[in-house]
Amino acid sequence: MALLMLASASGRESPIQLSLTEQELEWVGQQVFRNECAGRRECLVHWNRGEAFPSLGIGHFIWYPEGVSGPFVESFPALIRHMQERSAAVPKWLNQTPVPGAPWADRAEFLASADSNRIEALREFLADTKGEQAEFIVRRARESLETVIAAVPPARQASIRQHLEALSQTPGGTYAVIDYVNFKGEGLSPNERYQGQGWGLLQVLLEMPDHTDGPVLSRFRAAAAEVLTRRANNADKPIERERWLPGWLKRLETYREPADSGA
């Protein structure tokens, strides 16, 4: 069980529990893996067309090439640091401080190395550590919520906290929060904006109405769809509207309770 401490409107800290059994944690990891990779092992080390970085692991963690930076929050080095803390068998060339950048300058160089021993060894490492990766995804969400709440305008903090409390009461709601943070981030980085508008968890929570009518998970899905559609419409690259948005909206449809999702 993960225990989150979020500040209440009165300033006192009140616990919000994201309760996941070992079986539910495994389910969350499998859901994320299906969302990002359709459960395919080869997709654990991948470079999407139209992106400036490879994506790795069950959560498709972003890893910028050496000497390259970009607007999106990089997560793969943090995953490796998590692995180091767990004494996982990190490949020697990665087991450094700081974690090095991706060794491929661009997608073409990556594709030319697709059959290399290094990529296969990295894929095997990621296939063998799915549990640690799921723990990292949960940890990232857990550690972000207090900061997300603090970024909400004071007048709405109580209602946003209520949304998170309601989501945290079920495996499906907990999964939705955890997956969305992994998928589109916390929404806190000023660099993750198109036309001044973000698309992370913060923006989804703000998009949800203050009322509590109807299932909270349905309201979260609807708000996330609105936020992601707005991002795609604000994007300069047509690929976001034409190719990525349909996949994003399909992913949101997995935000259901295990009994309703076919799991």
Side-chain angles (χ1 to χ4, degrees):
M1 179 182 293
L3 190 63
L4 304 182
M5 302 296 292
L6 302 184
S8 68
S10 65
R12 296 192 304 268
E13 289 192 338
S14 178
I16 294 182
Q17 298 181 4
L18 287 185
S19 301
L20 286 175
T21 65
E22 289 299 321
Q23 184 178 6
E24 289 164 349
L25 177 61
E26 182 179 355
W27 175 72
V28 167
Q30 290 173 346
Q31 287 289 99
V32 173
F33 189 29
R34 289 192 197 104
N35 290 339
E36 295 289 2
C37 290
R40 294 181 293 113
R41 181 181 182 278
E42 62 270 22
C43 192
L44 288 168
V45 182
H46 187 70
W47 195 314
N48 288 319
R49 188 184 304 275
E51 293 182 335
F53 49 81
S55 302
L56 296 95
I58 66 170
H60 264 198
F61 309 107
I62 291 174
W63 192 21
Y64 283 111
E66 194 70 43
V68 175
S69 61
F72 306 118
V73 174
E74 186 179 41
S75 50
F76 184 70
L79 170 67
I80 295 301
R81 290 193 293 272
H82 175 80
M83 297 285 200
Q84 291 168 335
E85 291 172 6
R86 296 294 186 275
S87 299
V90 178
K92 185 175 180 179
W93 61 276
L94 265 180
N95 198 13
Q96 303 178 37
T97 303
V99 177
W104 313 283
D106 51 36
R107 187 170 184 267
E109 185 175 326
F110 172 82
L111 292 176
S113 305
D115 297 326
S116 68
N117 291 335
R118 172 171 284 190
I119 287 183
E120 179 52 32
L122 184 56
R123 188 175 286 119
E124 182 175 356
F125 164 67
L126 293 168
D128 289 343
T129 56
K130 294 190 184 76
E132 289 88 343
Q133 293 170 63
E135 289 175 358
F136 170 76
I137 290 168
V138 173
R139 176 181 176 180
R140 178 182 177 185
R142 181 176 68 240
E143 293 178 350
S144 72
L145 292 187
E146 186 173 354
T147 308
V148 168
I149 289 289
V152 172
R156 294 205 59 195
Q157 286 188 7
S159 64
I160 295 302
R161 184 174 181 279
Q162 286 183 333
H163 295 329
L164 284 171
E165 284 180 329
L167 287 164
S168 73
Q169 296 305 305
T170 67
T174 301
Y175 154 63
V177 172
I178 290 168
D179 182 75
Y180 198 87
V181 171
N182 177 71
F183 172 40
K184 289 301 176 195
E186 298 87 348
L188 300 172
S189 171
N191 294 324
E192 291 188 331
R193 301 285 187 272
Y194 290 163
Q195 299 185 31
Q197 295 181 304
W199 50 78
L201 178 65
L202 171 63
Q203 287 75 34
V204 173
L205 294 170
L206 290 172
E207 191 69 29
M208 295 176 70
D210 284 343
H211 67 74
T212 57
D213 299 334
V216 67
L217 193 49
S218 297
R219 289 184 278 121
F220 185 87
R221 283 199 309 271
E226 183 67 26
V227 166
L228 292 178
T229 300
R230 184 170 65 211
R231 165 181 163 159
N233 289 334
N234 285 342
D236 293 331
K237 296 180 180 180
I239 192 173
E240 297 215 16
R241 295 182 294 278
E242 297 168 1
R243 182 174 177 181
W244 295 350
L245 180 60
W248 295 344
L249 298 179
K250 183 178 179 180
R251 181 179 187 137
L252 298 182
E253 286 302 310
T254 71
Y255 291 0
R256 301 179 185 276
E257 298 305 327
D260 300 326
S261 65

